Amino acid sequence: MKLTADYHTHTTYSDGKNSAAENAVAAEKAGLSAIAITEHGYSHIFRGIARKETEAWLREVHEADKLTRVQVLTGIESNIRGISGLCDLTERDYENFDVYLAGIHIVIRYEHARDRKIGWGGWFRRTFGAKPSDSYVKDVTRAYINAIKNNPIDIITHLNYQTFADALEVAKCCADYGTYLEISSKKPHLTDEELAKCVDTGVRFVVNSDAHSVDRIGDTKLAEEIIARVGVPLDRIDNIDGRLPNFRFAEFKKHM
Ligand SMILES: [Zn+2]
Ligand SMILES: [Zn+2]
């Protein structure tokens, strides 16, 4: 398995250690044809890119794009902010980004106070080993599904990392809407059983590093172990072995 493009990398504009230019150079060394620079979205407290920084960030990413043969895309790792599926981007933001990732993070500005349970509730249960209730799983699943239905999301990042959704239902929705499920090489997120159920839905996958430093750009080690263990068919992964994904967000923007 050879990674073609890494669609999930951070820089110092969120909680990464390096610049877009440094990420591009590392991507070239790793033999990638493209990377996306995907900072945490606007509602991430402490670690998100600020809206007012977007212009300077865009300039840096465009400069990085010219630096090497690697295509450097502008992206965002948006937060899912509530059960309604509200995300960080409004349609006015869309022109600034090539790739639209979304995931659940904990320390964010939630849509409503009651939505805090999506992130904090999962963190609490993971930390203290408490079993999630059915109603909790239902709420988190609705948050993911509403996000996918209401926003042209290309990739759901690290599904079920520190939270508990019904992975099968989320994967079905991804398959229906043309949203990719990420297999992260940074951290385990789905259990093998959950991932096997996702495979059965026909959903398509991308492998991403979620690199926060240049040494991890293009890293696939953990993802490869998971893929081998679960038996994910390699032809269902669209950013390896010379293939590039068909992203929904770019298609959506053509019709705006
Ligand atoms: Zn994340
Ligand atoms: Zn990330």
Side-chain angles (χ1 to χ4, degrees):
M1 186 182 116
K2 168 109 183 63
L3 198 69
T4 314
D6 189 347
Y7 292 106
H8 190 168
T9 77
H10 293 266
T11 77
T12 51
Y13 278 88
S14 52
D15 53 352
K17 290 195 175 76
N18 298 97
S19 66
E22 288 167 327
N23 283 13
V25 170
E28 188 170 52
K29 275 192 198 137
L32 304 178
S33 68
I35 55 167
I37 307 294
T38 54
E39 314 298 355
H40 290 295
Y42 301 126
S43 65
H44 204 301
I45 303 168
F46 308 126
R47 292 178 177 182
I49 184 172
R51 215 177 221 101
K52 60 176 189 291
E53 292 175 321
T54 305
E55 225 173 282
W57 174 84
L58 278 169
R59 272 198 302 274
E60 284 194 31
V61 179
H62 291 319
E63 284 301 315
D65 182 45
K66 291 182 213 142
L67 198 64
T68 71
R69 283 185 307 246
V70 176
Q71 183 186 28
V72 183
L73 300 164
T74 58
I76 191 93
E77 186 180 12
S78 174
N79 302 290
I80 298 172
R81 301 180 55 198
I83 295 169
S84 75
L86 180 72
C87 285
D88 292 338
L89 299 188
T90 67
E91 289 207 3
R92 270 183 305 176
D93 296 312
Y94 285 4
E95 63 176 350
N96 293 328
F97 301 99
D98 302 314
V99 189
Y100 192 160
L101 280 56
I104 289 183
H105 301 89
I106 299 166
V107 189
I108 67 159
R109 281 180 288 277
Y110 291 92
E111 182 179 12
H112 304 291
R114 64 173 179 273
D115 290 315
R116 284 184 299 214
K117 67 176 167 191
I118 295 171
W120 286 108
W123 174 85
F124 181 85
R125 287 173 173 88
R126 291 263 183 228
T127 304
F128 298 102
K131 199 177 155 358
S133 65
D134 290 350
S135 76
Y136 175 75
V137 174
K138 215 173 260 178
D139 283 343
V140 179
T141 306
R142 274 169 61 210
Y144 275 115
I145 286 177
N146 287 333
I148 295 160
K149 285 184 176 172
N150 299 334
N151 304 276
I153 295 167
D154 290 321
I155 302 170
I156 291 292
T157 62
H158 49 66
L159 175 62
N160 276 359
Y161 173 66
Q162 292 193 319
T163 188
F164 298 88
D166 183 331
L168 176 67
E169 292 304 317
V170 176
K172 274 187 201 161
C173 185
C174 283
D176 287 347
Y177 282 81
T179 296
Y180 285 89
L181 267 192
E182 175 182 76
I183 300 175
S184 175
S185 64
K186 176 165 189 255
K187 50 204 171 196
H189 46 110
L190 294 167
T191 65
D192 289 358
E193 293 71 29
E194 284 175 325
L195 181 57
K197 282 186 193 167
C198 293
V199 170
D200 290 340
T201 65
V203 71
R204 302 198 70 81
F205 298 94
V206 289
V207 169
N208 285 326
S209 70
D210 197 357
H212 285 62
S213 54
V214 287
D215 54 303
R216 288 210 55 256
I217 302 275
D219 172 32
T220 56
K221 188 171 177 287
L222 176 66
E224 285 193 64
E225 287 166 14
I226 295 164
I227 289 160
R229 216 165 51 224
V230 176
V232 181
L234 293 186
D235 62 5
R236 292 276 289 284
I237 305 168
D238 280 354
N239 63 333
I240 61 166
D241 301 336
R243 288 194 293 281
L244 292 170
N246 216 340
F247 279 140
R248 168 186 177 196
F249 185 45
E251 199 53 43
F252 179 91
K253 288 201 290 181
K254 280 187 204 159
H255 305 289
M256 266 176 83

